[in-house]
Amino acid sequence: MSFLNLAFLWGLPLLAVPVAIHLLSRRRQDVVKWGAMQFLLESSLRRRKIWRVDDLLLMLLRTLAVVALVLALARPLWHGSSLGGAGHRDVIFVWDVSMSMGRALKDGTPFDRLLEKTEELLEKLGPTDSLRGMITVGRGEWLTTESEPATAERKQQLLGVLKETGVTEASADWFACLGTALRVAAPARSRARLVVVLCDGQAQGWRKEDQPGWQNFLTMVEESKTPTAIELHNVVGAVDLANNLAIDKLSTPRPLLGIGETFVVEADVRNHGDTPLERGTIQWSLDGTSLGQSTVGPIGVGQSIKVPLKQVAGKSGVSRLTCRLETPDDLAADNECSLILEVIEHVPILLVDDAEEEDPLKSDRGYVLAALGQDKTGASTPQGTSIFDVTTIASTELGAQALSNFRAIIFSNTPDLDEAAIGKLTEFVRVGGGLWLALGDRTSPQEFNRQLYRSGAGLAPWPIETAQGDPDRREKFVAIHPPLKEHPATVLLADTQRLDIDRAKVFRRFPFAAAPARGQIPVLLESGTGEALAVEGFLGQGRVIVQALSMGVRWSNLPLMQAYVPLVHEWLWHLIQPTGIALNLRPGDPLLVSLPPNEHVRAVRLKQPGGIELPLTTIQQGARSLAQSRRTQRPGLYEAVIEVEGKPDDVRPYQVARSPEESKLDQWPVELTAKWNDSRIARVNPTESIAMPASTFGQTTGEPLWGMLLALVVFALLAELGMARRIAAKRFGFRNEAAENQSPAFGRFAAFLETAVFGRKGGPG
């Protein structure tokens, strides 16, 4: 037992007050002899013995009231288990269902051992324990919403849900999951909490180097309002070296493609095991149809290679590209990886150009149209059908144009714009549209900075300065440096073996002022001296490219280079990527489903990995109707099913990527076990499981007793009042007279009190 307010215990000497009153009431009186009293002596002696017993009971009641009041003010806490509710525990199981739990062992998998250990531990729970369970998906996913008594039926139900869930492709974040378990409210009757962790001992997810995270976690446990202990059970123990080859990820510069376009996908294959691979095979497929195979190897321990696949985009629609490593190893789940590709038929582009002449030396429009496969009228050239549908307007027509009909907007020579046009462009970019601003002789630096940069709050990521260079003196120029491969918009341009971007010359350009108001600004093109020639900005969901030179040949010879057409195509594809729905997600990313316009959609539901289905909510984003869900913590294939009146269900695939770190099967180091054992709240593989260590009771309050003590004070006072009234009535015989002078209500209350305390009404002999 402990006390929260020890100072009030100094009030215990007040116990002497009722004792003193009792002793003073027994002081000797002067005896007056009266002859007639001799006949009553025998009766008087008998009554005096009864009175002494009554006085003693009265003193004990008063003493009890004082003791109970002082102890209640001191707020005592009971840490034992003998007070009914004090033995109740809130037991939370946290099960590791990450991908590594499917590893092949000699006698099954770690998940099989986890189920056996769970059954063993569940049998040790008592009837006063409450039970709930969580799996390591995201920040922790509860298998049961409420904590319920650990009955046999409840145990079997929870075990059945765990078996049905099985192993996922998720990666365990132990700090996040345990934090969720510790923050959940304990049942009202629980006086202690026990968190039971069952895992495979994988080092991944424990963040052993994160010292601040460890300290915050231990502080959270020690400061918990409920005494808390943690048990960690490694169901695998010591294991042999792993043999594990994995496809960490599939990557492509852009998953949104045009019909007939050639694209490249790369598989990143890594050897996470302890055995070198001499030779292996990768099988490629698209929606279940084989695309062929690739040979991999040799791959040393810890090494990785990239395996490319070159294909031509076929019919329009959404497809799932899958590659599978046909090499047996200890962890088969990471031998397969998928990527969702979307192929579209047309890309509507809005070209804004104010030139009134068709002379290529005075107009930039013709070069842009030619690069997009169209003639000056906007029709496709005889060489083939262009996927880009270009609409050309003057800047004065922006106000009447519905920008939502286009995926990207190009200004071939950005002029001054009015506030209404700026507002429409800003909203267009915020909802995912792409904007390309090429600067030329129609651009005013002052108006550009005021309207489009807006001190870092506008469409342009950087301000510009006065134009430099003379387009008439072609012997003076700035060369373009080959861009880096790291940016998806410049991967193709960086190949100077095939393209001639390094031979382009810039005769006049607008220098960018050094004002990185939005952090690190991506530079797409720069000169040989490091001067930025094209930069990328972001606003809302959309992207903006600002090019320091015009799109024609007046300021550079770039339109005459082989690299010009790939540059225009690649940058446009990069700009329009956000206009499509993201189909390849990371765990926790929002999943959006674009609903068909002008159709009666009855319902939209989402099929998650493992067969779980849930309905989706509908939102409005600009002119688009969308359904959304944020329950994407489990990696794997998701399918959105759209039920449209009078049509077959429309099924759309989504892929949530897994973490490559989960393929590392390293066991947690000895120092991690020592870290747990050094804390007084955790035990690793305890011999006495499902037990609260005695040290945990020192961290919080325990069972509060002051409520019962206050009730005892009230009872003692009421009993003392009833006892005093009974004694007075017996000794002095004035009960009836006093009752006559009292109000009827008070009389009834006094009679009720006496009856409740003594079981009958008192009165004279």
Side-chain angles (χ1 to χ4, degrees):
M1 180 182 292
S2 61
F3 297 89
L4 295 182
N5 297 326
L6 283 172
F8 281 99
L9 294 181
W10 288 100
L12 287 177
L14 293 176
L15 293 174
V17 174
V19 176
I21 293 175
H22 173 71
L23 295 177
L24 290 175
S25 66
R26 296 185 59 195
R27 68 183 186 276
R28 297 184 61 84
Q29 304 290 336
D30 294 334
V31 179
V32 179
K33 292 185 178 182
W34 179 37
M37 291 297 295
Q38 296 177 5
F39 300 103
L40 301 174
L41 181 59
E42 183 179 350
S43 175
S44 176
L45 290 174
R46 186 169 59 252
R47 285 191 176 186
R48 189 168 292 129
K49 292 180 180 179
I50 297 175
W51 290 354
R52 287 177 179 173
V53 174
D54 290 342
D55 290 341
L56 183 61
L57 290 175
L58 191 62
M59 181 198 70
L60 292 176
L61 288 173
R62 291 168 176 169
T63 303
L64 179 62
V66 173
V67 171
L69 180 60
V70 171
L71 292 178
L73 293 175
R75 300 178 69 185
L77 302 163
W78 179 259
H79 299 296
S81 58
S82 59
L83 294 178
H88 290 270
R89 297 180 303 177
D90 180 26
V91 181
I92 301 176
F93 277 79
V94 182
W95 291 293
D96 185 359
V97 294
S98 61
M99 185 175 63
S100 62
M101 295 296 290
R103 174 184 181 179
L105 301 174
K106 294 180 180 179
D107 57 347
T109 66
F111 188 73
D112 296 331
R113 297 185 183 182
L114 180 142
L115 293 175
E116 295 176 2
K117 188 66 176 179
T118 298
E119 290 190 70
E120 173 191 330
L121 297 177
L122 286 176
E123 290 298 322
K124 297 184 178 182
L125 296 182
T128 60
D129 292 323
S130 60
L131 174 63
R132 68 180 107 188
M134 171 195 293
I135 57 175
T136 55
V137 173
R139 302 188 65 84
E141 182 179 304
W142 293 104
L143 294 185
T144 52
T145 55
E146 299 293 337
S147 180
E148 298 182 9
T151 61
E153 181 181 0
R154 173 68 167 177
K155 296 175 185 177
Q156 290 302 315
Q157 176 192 7
L158 197 56
L159 190 61
V161 175
L162 178 61
K163 290 179 180 179
E164 184 178 350
T165 300
V167 180
T168 70
E169 293 185 24
S171 181
D173 185 344
W174 287 105
F175 279 173
C177 294
L178 292 177
T180 300
L182 294 173
R183 281 188 289 269
V184 70
R189 296 197 309 169
S190 296
R191 302 307 170 201
R193 169 171 284 167
L194 179 61
V195 180
V196 183
V197 175
L198 292 96
C199 63
D200 61 353
Q202 186 188 22
Q204 159 65 15
W206 285 106
R207 298 190 245 162
K208 65 183 182 67
E209 304 299 335
D210 185 4
Q211 296 299 329
W214 273 93
Q215 189 57 48
N216 291 338
F217 173 73
L218 294 177
T219 301
M220 182 192 306
V221 177
E222 292 174 356
E223 294 181 355
S224 174
K225 294 182 179 180
T226 306
T228 302
I230 300 176
E231 284 186 10
L232 294 103
H233 296 270
N234 182 353
V235 299
V236 174
V239 293
D240 297 332
L241 297 179
N243 178 24
N244 184 35
L245 203 71
I247 301 176
D248 281 354
K249 64 178 180 179
L250 287 180
S251 59
T252 183
R254 46 185 175 84
L256 184 61
L257 307 166
I259 291 181
E261 184 181 3
T262 300
F263 66 95
V264 176
V265 177
E266 286 187 333
D268 190 351
V269 183
R270 181 176 295 274
N271 189 346
H272 292 281
D274 299 290
T275 305
L277 174 74
E278 294 300 327
R279 186 180 179 87
T281 303
I282 286 182
Q283 297 288 344
W284 299 87
S285 63
L286 185 68
D287 291 336
T289 302
S290 176
L291 299 178
Q293 66 181 28
S294 303
T295 302
V296 297
I299 307 177
V301 175
Q303 295 181 347
S304 67
I305 62 172
K306 294 185 181 297
V307 182
L309 172 71
K310 190 174 182 179
Q311 287 287 308
V312 177
K315 62 181 181 179
S316 63
V318 178
S319 303
R320 187 174 188 237
L321 178 69
T322 301
C323 70
R324 179 165 184 81
L325 188 62
E326 299 293 345
T327 301
D329 57 24
D330 293 342
L331 186 59
D334 60 6
N335 288 5
E336 183 175 297
C337 196
S338 297
L339 183 73
I340 306 298
L341 301 174
E342 182 179 6
V343 180
I344 57 179
E345 295 182 4
H346 302 287
V347 180
I349 302 294
L350 181 64
L351 175 61
V352 182
D353 187 274
D354 289 340
E356 298 178 356
E357 303 179 39
E358 298 297 335
D359 185 352
L361 296 178
K362 297 181 180 180
S363 171
D364 305 302
R365 178 174 61 241
Y367 294 98
V368 178
L369 291 173
L372 296 178
Q374 298 187 350
D375 59 24
K376 61 182 181 180
T377 65
S380 298
T381 59
Q383 285 75 14
T385 302
S386 173
I387 193 174
F388 296 101
D389 290 338
V390 184
T391 301
T392 304
I393 64 170
S395 60
T396 54
E397 302 176 71
L398 274 173
Q401 195 71 43
L403 302 186
S404 60
N405 295 330
F406 303 94
R407 287 181 178 258
I409 301 174
I410 304 176
F411 282 81
S412 60
N413 191 336
T414 306
D416 297 342
L417 301 171
D418 57 36
E419 290 299 325
I422 296 295
K424 291 189 67 173
L425 290 173
T426 301
E427 182 59 27
F428 172 76
V429 175
R430 285 189 186 278
V431 298
L435 179 62
W436 188 344
L437 300 172
L439 311 182
D441 53 14
R442 297 179 184 275
T443 305
S444 166
Q446 293 77 16
E447 289 302 305
F448 179 91
N449 294 336
R450 184 183 67 84
Q451 295 177 335
L452 296 171
Y453 177 62
R454 295 179 181 265
S455 300
L459 289 164
W462 270 353
I464 61 174
E465 298 176 346
T466 304
Q468 295 181 4
D470 187 350
D472 295 328
R473 300 183 63 182
R474 299 265 164 161
E475 71 277 4
K476 292 185 177 182
F477 59 87
V478 172
I480 295 180
H481 188 270
L484 300 176
K485 287 186 176 182
E486 281 73 13
H487 197 286
T490 59
V491 172
L492 186 59
L493 298 177
D495 186 0
T496 55
Q497 298 292 327
R498 300 168 55 194
L499 299 177
D500 53 1
I501 189 72
D502 55 332
R503 289 189 286 170
K505 301 175 182 179
V506 178
F507 308 111
R508 186 172 174 82
R509 77 281 181 196
F510 282 98
F512 289 101
R518 298 177 187 170
Q520 191 68 28
I521 303 298
V523 176
L524 304 185
L525 281 184
E526 64 181 7
S527 68
T529 59
E531 179 184 342
L533 298 176
V535 297
E536 181 184 13
F538 307 92
L539 185 66
Q541 300 178 35
R543 300 168 178 173
V544 180
I545 292 178
V546 180
Q547 180 177 307
L549 54 147
S550 65
M551 301 292 288
V553 295
R554 287 176 297 171
W555 284 23
S556 76
N557 68 346
L558 181 60
L560 305 178
M561 298 290 105
Q562 281 184 324
Y564 185 73
V565 173
L567 181 146
V568 173
H569 284 218
E570 290 300 304
W571 286 13
L572 275 178
W573 279 112
H574 178 68
L575 285 173
I576 71 172
Q577 292 301 306
T579 63
I581 296 295
L583 303 176
N584 298 284
L585 310 172
R586 295 172 300 178
D589 283 351
L591 186 150
L592 299 177
V593 184
S594 180
L595 303 181
N598 306 320
E599 298 281 0
H600 177 58
V601 178
R602 294 184 300 178
V604 185
R605 64 184 190 275
L606 182 65
K607 293 182 179 180
Q608 296 180 310
I612 303 173
E613 289 195 19
L614 64 146
L616 299 185
T617 57
T618 303
I619 62 173
Q620 200 71 25
Q621 187 183 83
R624 296 190 299 179
S625 295
L626 302 173
Q628 70 170 353
S629 174
R630 291 189 175 272
R631 297 185 60 179
T632 57
Q633 285 77 21
R634 297 191 185 193
L637 175 64
Y638 289 70
E639 290 183 328
V641 182
I642 306 174
E643 300 179 12
V644 180
E645 188 74 36
K647 293 185 177 181
D649 291 348
D650 183 9
V651 181
R652 302 179 187 176
Y654 295 77
Q655 187 73 30
V656 176
R658 52 177 167 79
S659 171
E661 298 297 317
E662 189 62 25
S663 295
K664 298 179 180 179
L665 300 180
D666 302 334
Q667 294 291 290
W668 64 27
V670 177
E671 55 266 27
L672 187 59
T673 302
K675 187 185 292 288
W676 278 114
N677 289 331
D678 288 342
S679 66
R680 63 175 184 173
I681 48 87
R683 298 180 298 160
V684 179
N685 297 323
T687 54
E688 185 181 354
S689 55
I690 308 297
M692 297 292 295
S695 60
T696 58
F697 290 109
Q699 60 188 2
T700 54
T701 57
E703 170 75 4
L705 300 180
W706 51 84
M708 291 184 290
L709 290 172
L710 288 176
L712 185 60
V713 170
V714 174
F715 172 79
L717 290 177
L718 292 177
E720 191 271 344
L721 288 175
M723 186 74 178
R725 187 172 186 275
R726 178 172 177 271
I727 291 174
K730 289 175 61 177
R731 294 183 182 180
F732 306 109
F734 62 87
R735 179 177 184 277
N736 293 335
E737 180 181 354
E740 292 175 0
N741 296 330
Q742 295 167 353
S743 65
F746 182 83
R748 287 194 299 271
F749 174 73
F752 164 76
L753 195 62
E754 185 174 326
T755 304
V757 175
F758 299 105
R760 62 178 181 80
K761 291 185 179 181

